[in-house]
Amino acid sequence: MAGCKPQRGGARLKRIKKAAVLGAGVMGAAIAGHLANVGIPTLLLDIVPRDLTEEEKAKGLTLGDRVVRNRLAQKGKERLFKEKPSPLYTKEAADLIQVGNLEDDFDSLKDVDWIIEVVVENLKIKQDLFARIESVWKPGTVVSSNTSGISINKMVEGRSEAFRKHFLGTHFFNPPRYLKLLEIIPNELTDVNILREMKAFAEEVLGKGVVICKDTPNFIANRIGTYGLQVTLKAMEELGLGPDEVDDVTGRAMGRPKSATFRTLDLVGLDTFVHVADNVRENVTNPEEQEAFQVSPLLVKMVENKWLGEKTGQGFYKRVKTEKGKEILVLDPATLDYRPRKKLKARSLEQAKRGKTQAEKLRALVYANDPAGKLAWIITKKALLYTAEHLEEIADDIVSVDRAMRWGFNWDLGPFELWDAIGVEKSVARMREEEETIPPLVEKLLASGATSFYQTEEGRVQSFNIGGKFGDVDESEKVISLSRLKEQGKKIAGNKGASLIDIGDDIACLEFHSPKQAIGADIISMIRKAVKEVSANYRGLVISAEAPNFCVGANLMLMLMEAQDYNWPEIDLMVRQFQDAMGSLRYLDRPVVAAPYGMTLGGGVEVCMPCDRIQAAAETYMGLVEVGVGLIPGGGGNKEMLLRWTEGIDPGDRVALQPLVNHVFETIAQAKVSTSGPDAQKYKYLRPYDGITINRDHLLYEAKQVALGLYKAGYKAPKPRKIPVVGETGYNVLRLGAYGFLKSGYITEHDYKIAGKLAYVLAGGAVPEGTLVSEQYLLDLEREAFLSLIGEPKTQARMQYMLAKGKPLRN
């Protein structure tokens, strides 16, 4: 049974209505938090404290008081509100977490559907806990361990067959809300149906990317990731580089997170890394592999010194205060002193930056004969050879390994995808020249005549498997790839900024692919084309993208250049065209569904708001942020917010209307951005009937289903409506509030000017309160205010600063 690979077809969702997490440390509390995020009531338990705190003594509490006995679990829950980034979609989600302890509340475990153990990484402690759990266990309840590397089979030695059938490893990656990977590890007796159900549940409900692992040391991702870090440490020493120089190479240049190698180690904690490395070394039998996981003397010394990284204030990096302010220093491995950071100067790094694809970037780097190229080649070569050599031991296929590294370590490409990118034949030829032993899997691939581990056959992606043949990659029907559809000839139309793609069932998708998905003339042109095409030939339209973020707003550089050239007619035309395009989406005679995710700012929000529905990813950060660059929304954002907040309000009811307009004013003036999809609902960026998709990979599919559902229900386009405004009286109320902030020193004179323009638009201008105005009237006010502000020197300074620094200027 170990390492079995369930088929996707026929897997039903495990019905988990309530869960329990045992262990309220950082990881346990965060898992409970994510369960609460997706609406699952969760019992969070920890041990009973042995001693009173000074605060408890001062209150006269005893060890018998419930508040004391639940203290550790309560502190775990409270930590969720303090951690950044937040483990919670909204603060209210934590209401679903009930705290308790492992003595008084242990019997409550019989009332839950899933028990997750997250206690200390000690085999004996875990075995004893599972023996206790079985004494109250209800048949049918799933029990799992969040261990990062202890044997799943050993944990349940001595447990009944029925218990073991319902037991498996569920290794969440930290932080559980943000990292996609969930490694599921069956034991020898795990029921295949339980495995399938939990995989489906994790994907559908928890939004996870699931990889089925074998019960081997550190499973897949940590096994390979730890080896890669060990190799990088050794290469740093051999090449005489510093941690900062290594990080220049092993971050985005190699398609890995910005935190690269040593910043990542500082975040994880050096003691944690040493524990993980030791776990592999102690549980493998090959002497060469044992040596590979032998922790370097440098790390041993740093752990002895308590230089563990972020949690102790210093590791490979250290923040210090200087006369110039805060500075980040880096450790010199030779002297163990901290020095100022320096950049690694290498031509290959510059060439890699100019690469259009990740494959081009990698080839420019790994085949270069400079310090960056030598480092990249060594660590890439070693990691690829190790992964291929041990593939059959740790996984059933190359796809599982690639997904584990992408989802767990945020690599752009997994090891075998990376191998394809740099060229299997070319890299293997060099490896042979360097007298490396080529793993049998790679020899089989080349002997078969193939030159890559992945290929496309009749539109299906295939991977080279352990048996030496290609087979279809197992994918959910809920994963829609726009890039693959374009390869299959499904593009209807396109330009540099956007494409219209047939995604099946007579639904078209408008994909943004301009730099950072910024809205410019190309996207506006494609919106107009999409509206005509969908009206004539399709059932509905979905708007989304495949880039890291949905849309960061309008093309700020273009707008600034026109403003600096005093080209007001051109700016006016651009704003009019954007407003008109948004209107065409609102009144299209086919349903339009926006599918935003990630950063959805400014114009990105304005694209979503006219749509009939929004199907947002749980990780969507929405906000009208134009005031940060000295402007106000110009594409209908003000009007759309008024529509949302004043819907159903009696125009003559000033008592009800003014507070709602105040709320809209504060939201836009303070550039409030949601911290998640659910959080966007409180700002009404999302409406109660808009949807949220937990699994980002399923977003396009679910948006498509919404569009189909609207069409089949007999969709009719909305009619233009009048909007009640607070008029001149309400305008004065808004300005008075802003004036108070000015006098208190919270905003600058220019902030106050922006606030005045915004207030005038939201109030509906100089009309009596309660006046009903048209949408076009508000759009005209909005455009006039936008044009007025973009001509201000201080606004242009803010725009310039944002483009140069990536953060707002307060002037």
Side-chain angles (χ1 to χ4, degrees), residues 752-764:
Y752 181 60
K753 179 176 285 189
I754 299 165
K757 298 286 185 180
L758 177 62
Y760 191 76
V761 173
L762 294 177

Side-chain angles (χ1 to χ4, degrees), residues 635-648:
N638 306 288
K639 179 259 296 183
E640 291 292 337
M641 287 292 278
L642 284 175
L643 276 170
R644 286 162 187 252
W645 281 92
T646 62
E647 188 172 8

Side-chain angles (χ1 to χ4, degrees), residues 297-409:
L298 173 63
L299 278 186
V300 172
K301 183 64 176 176
M302 291 176 72
V303 172
E304 288 176 356
N305 290 349
K306 303 296 183 185
W307 299 350
L308 307 181
E310 290 287 324
K311 56 188 172 186
T312 59
Q314 68 183 99
F316 284 99
Y317 294 93
K318 178 182 180 181
R319 288 186 179 88
V320 297
K321 290 183 179 180
T322 66
E323 295 178 356
K324 298 179 181 179
K326 291 183 179 178
E327 183 181 359
I328 299 177
L329 303 179
V330 66
L331 184 73
D332 184 328
T335 64
L336 293 185
D337 292 325
Y338 287 87
R339 59 165 174 79
R341 290 179 295 171
K342 60 185 178 183
K343 287 283 185 182
L344 177 62
K345 295 181 179 179
R347 186 180 178 188
S348 62
L349 282 174
E350 296 304 316
Q351 291 176 325
K353 288 178 183 177
R354 291 195 290 270
K356 293 182 180 179
T357 65
Q358 190 58 55
E360 290 179 5
K361 294 176 190 290
L362 285 165
R363 287 195 294 268
L365 195 57
V366 300
Y367 294 124
N369 192 31
D370 60 19
K374 290 177 181 177
L375 174 68
W377 170 253
I378 290 171
I379 61 181
T380 298
K381 176 183 73 171
K382 293 292 187 183
L384 295 183
L385 290 172
Y386 179 83
T387 303
E389 181 66 33
H390 295 276
L391 172 67
E392 195 167 355
E393 176 192 347
I394 63 175
D396 285 321
D397 50 61
I398 68 170
V399 178
S400 295
V401 172
D402 283 342
R403 287 174 174 171
M405 298 315 295
R406 281 193 281 109
W407 293 340
F409 278 73

